[in-house]
Amino acid sequence: MTTKIPKTGVSLYSYAGEFGVSMTLEDCFAEMNDLGTQGLEILANAHIQNYPNPTEEWLEEWRRLLKVYDIIPVEYGHWVDSRMIPGRELTTQESYERLIKDIKLAGKLGFTVLRTKLGVIDFDLNPVPNWREFIEMALPLAEEHGVVMCPEIHQPTELNSKMVSDYVEFIEKTGTKHFGLNIDFGIFQTAERMVVPGFDNPPSTPEEIIPFLPYTYACHAKFIHMTEDFIEPTHPYEAIIKVLKENNWGGYMLSEYEGKNKDLAGYATDQVRKHHVMMNNFLSK
Amino acid sequence: MRLLEQQLIQLRGFRNAKIADNVIGFQVPIRLTYYRGVWASQLRAATVTVNGEVYANEQVFWTIDGNTIEQSELASTTDVHWNSMNTAILTVRKEGGLTPGVYDVKVSYDFSSSYLPPAIDTGYFETKGERKMVLVK
């Protein structure tokens, strides 16, 4: 059995406060290249000009940038905005049609994982009740385009919850390799957790991820503050990375900065750089 | 790509709006300060306030990616996407437009986001901007 270790990357969400204002897509790629990291997450409807129909000229530029800056397209963030039409939920067919556009575009851009954000129906963040139907309809197309659709497991959801068991049950029942999980490290956050009225969920422990690793195709390496000595005081990074390494998980940890001052030029880039120093430290231990 | 100003209301493009030679009002370019683009149907009616005078509903129409959309048509416009890299133009109908000068301009708009619980899927991202704006012509 080959030994695998997690790989690193950046979700361009980290630079959201500067993207289009003080950073172009090329600046984001150049920054990643400077960090010596390759794994890229974009948000389709933010970073693709003329989404969902980019021009040939844009596609050519995309391929040039990937090559010049040595970037690997990993995760393609997209949404099924189930209430995009006021007053009703999208039908199963309409939701499926949303997926078709994104699966094809993600495949064309070279991505392998889709962070498929589903519409939710309550404060527990339970997904729309027909998710199984439209996801199942899209599985053959996902297979054809070589992508795996992954809902994001995010605070206040816990790993050991009905929602996550429902996803796993669907994967096991269908036997699919084209639907899985994106785990956001915020579920492990031990301090300054999101305040959600009615929720007092404890953080999941890093060990709790182990049974879900076979279904986990990417992780959002969520962080909210890096200190000058490369510590993230609110997330147990050393323990998380240790568990991932010990369990031979070789997917991408994509830095996702969700702290303050995102609009302040240079602040998020400084934070992401420190985050990479920390991840590299723990990966080499 | 062309970079935009950090502020919600963009200075470049603040001018009187003409159809042929008729000044039908004035236009206010705005940025989507959200981290991803939205479909027009996710938007709710915007309000523009100039020196305290409020313009809303049918007094304002949107231009997104070259498409003109009345505020009453936003809900049914599911095929026009406002990318966060581009400005949208709010045109305010006002006979004769504005005379050259400095104006206190406020804009507010809102949109739905379905990954939030239905009870808060609008309101949560309600966006407001205010800026002293110079109109040249």
Side-chain angles (χ1 to χ4, degrees):
Chain A
M1 188 169 156
T2 327
T3 305
K4 293 182 203 158
I5 63 163
K7 298 183 275 283
T8 64
V10 176
S11 169
L12 296 194
Y13 173 78
S14 298
Y15 307 133
E18 291 202 58
F19 180 71
V21 172
S22 50
M23 288 176 92
T24 62
L25 189 63
E26 180 156 4
D27 291 324
C28 297
F29 281 24
E31 181 62 26
M32 286 177 60
N33 182 264
D34 203 44
L35 297 172
T37 198
Q38 289 185 297
L40 171 71
E41 178 181 49
I42 63 161
L43 308 177
N45 53 1
H47 299 109
I48 301 171
Q49 194 115 39
N50 298 110
Y51 170 89
N53 302 305
T55 60
E56 276 309 315
E57 191 187 2
W58 188 90
L59 291 167
E60 200 174 302
E61 175 67 358
W62 171 258
R63 291 186 283 266
R64 183 188 77 82
L65 292 176
L66 291 179
K67 199 170 165 191
V68 168
Y69 297 102
D70 195 20
I71 301 292
I72 298 173
V74 174
E75 189 164 51
Y76 173 103
H78 70 115
W79 283 257
V80 181
D81 270 292
S82 53
R83 289 182 303 279
M84 66 173 280
I85 299 168
R88 69 173 182 88
E89 297 277 354
L90 292 183
T91 64
T92 298
Q93 180 64 26
E94 286 168 334
S95 305
Y96 170 56
E97 284 163 11
R98 296 275 138 197
L99 290 176
I100 294 175
K101 279 180 201 261
D102 283 307
I103 289 171
K104 288 184 175 172
L105 185 49
K108 197 172 190 175
L109 300 182
F111 288 93
T112 49
V113 181
L114 273 75
R115 196 293 323 271
T116 303
K117 197 86 167 174
L118 300 171
V120 308
I121 55 165
D122 54 29
F123 279 93
D124 285 331
L125 307 184
N126 279 308
V128 289
N130 58 343
W131 68 267
R132 290 178 186 80
E133 285 86 338
F134 60 77
I135 293 289
E136 196 157 3
M137 285 164 83
L139 289 176
L141 193 70
E143 184 172 1
E144 186 188 324
H145 290 271
V147 296
V148 47
M149 296 174 278
C150 297
E152 181 177 10
I153 310 305
H154 192 285
Q155 278 188 66
T157 305
E158 295 169 79
L159 273 174
N160 290 314
S161 58
K162 181 174 184 305
M163 188 198 303
V164 179
S165 328
D166 284 351
Y167 289 143
V168 169
E169 188 188 302
F170 176 86
I171 296 164
E172 289 178 344
K173 200 174 135 201
T174 55
T176 184
K177 297 279 181 212
H178 297 280
F179 182 80
L181 304 174
N182 168 312
I183 306 287
D184 182 292
F185 287 172
I187 58 165
F188 305 122
Q189 190 173 341
T190 50
E192 299 170 46
R193 286 173 65 79
M194 276 172 67
V195 178
V196 181
F199 285 86
D200 189 20
N201 291 353
S204 298
T205 65
E207 292 73 23
E208 284 175 61
I209 199 175
I210 296 169
F212 301 105
L213 287 177
Y215 315 115
T216 303
Y217 291 88
C219 287
H220 276 163
K222 172 63 54 67
F223 70 109
I224 56 171
H225 178 62
M226 289 300 304
T227 64
E228 293 294 309
D229 51 356
F230 311 114
I231 299 296
E232 211 290 344
T234 65
H235 291 70
Y237 264 96
E238 186 164 12
I240 297 168
I241 291 177
K242 188 166 178 273
V243 164
L244 297 177
K245 280 176 69 179
E246 284 174 357
N247 289 277
N248 225 31
W249 187 78
Y252 280 88
M253 301 188 294
L254 302 158
S255 288
E256 195 186 53
Y257 177 57
E258 204 157 30
K260 62 181 183 180
N261 291 339
K262 288 182 83 152
D263 290 351
L264 199 62
Y267 198 94
T269 46
D270 172 84
Q271 286 285 301
V272 173
R273 292 175 84 94
K274 287 173 178 156
H275 190 234
H276 276 255
V277 172
M278 179 192 68
M279 290 199 295
N280 293 340
N281 283 344
F282 292 144
L283 283 168
S284 63
K285 270 193 180 176
Chain B
M1 67 187 283
R2 214 183 71 193
L3 296 174
L4 302 177
E5 293 180 282
Q6 181 71 253
Q7 297 193 56
L8 183 141
I9 305 174
Q10 303 284 302
L11 198 51
R12 188 183 306 130
F14 177 54
R15 57 176 179 252
N16 283 315
K18 285 181 181 177
I19 292 182
D21 279 338
N22 288 333
V23 175
I24 58 153
F26 61 92
Q27 62 181 48
V28 181
I30 56 171
R31 182 165 86 84
L32 179 59
T33 52
Y34 190 37
Y35 67 86
R36 64 173 181 129
V38 295
W39 296 97
S41 62
Q42 289 172 259
L43 290 163
R44 302 295 181 264
T47 301
V48 180
T49 308
V50 178
N51 289 353
E53 188 158 348
V54 179
Y55 303 91
N57 303 321
E58 69 282 358
Q59 293 170 294
V60 178
F61 65 86
W62 292 71
T63 307
I64 301 174
D65 196 23
N67 300 281
T68 298
I69 309 164
E70 294 294 337
Q71 302 224 77
S72 58
E73 297 167 345
L74 286 170
S76 57
T77 306
T78 55
D79 56 351
V80 174
H81 187 256
W82 182 11
N83 186 292
S84 43
M85 284 181 258
N86 301 330
T87 56
I89 308 286
L90 295 174
T91 302
V92 175
R93 293 185 166 99
K94 180 181 165 60
E95 209 173 313
L98 298 173
T99 54
V102 179
Y103 293 90
D104 179 19
V105 179
K106 295 180 191 172
V107 169
S108 69
Y109 65 88
D110 197 5
F111 51 85
S112 75
S113 199
S114 307
Y115 61 83
L116 294 175
I120 57 165
D121 79 344
T122 52
Y124 192 85
F125 291 116
E126 190 181 2
T127 306
K128 292 179 178 176
E130 180 172 4
R131 190 168 184 182
K132 287 266 185 220
M133 302 281 283
V134 181
L135 185 123
V136 178
K137 57 197 284 187

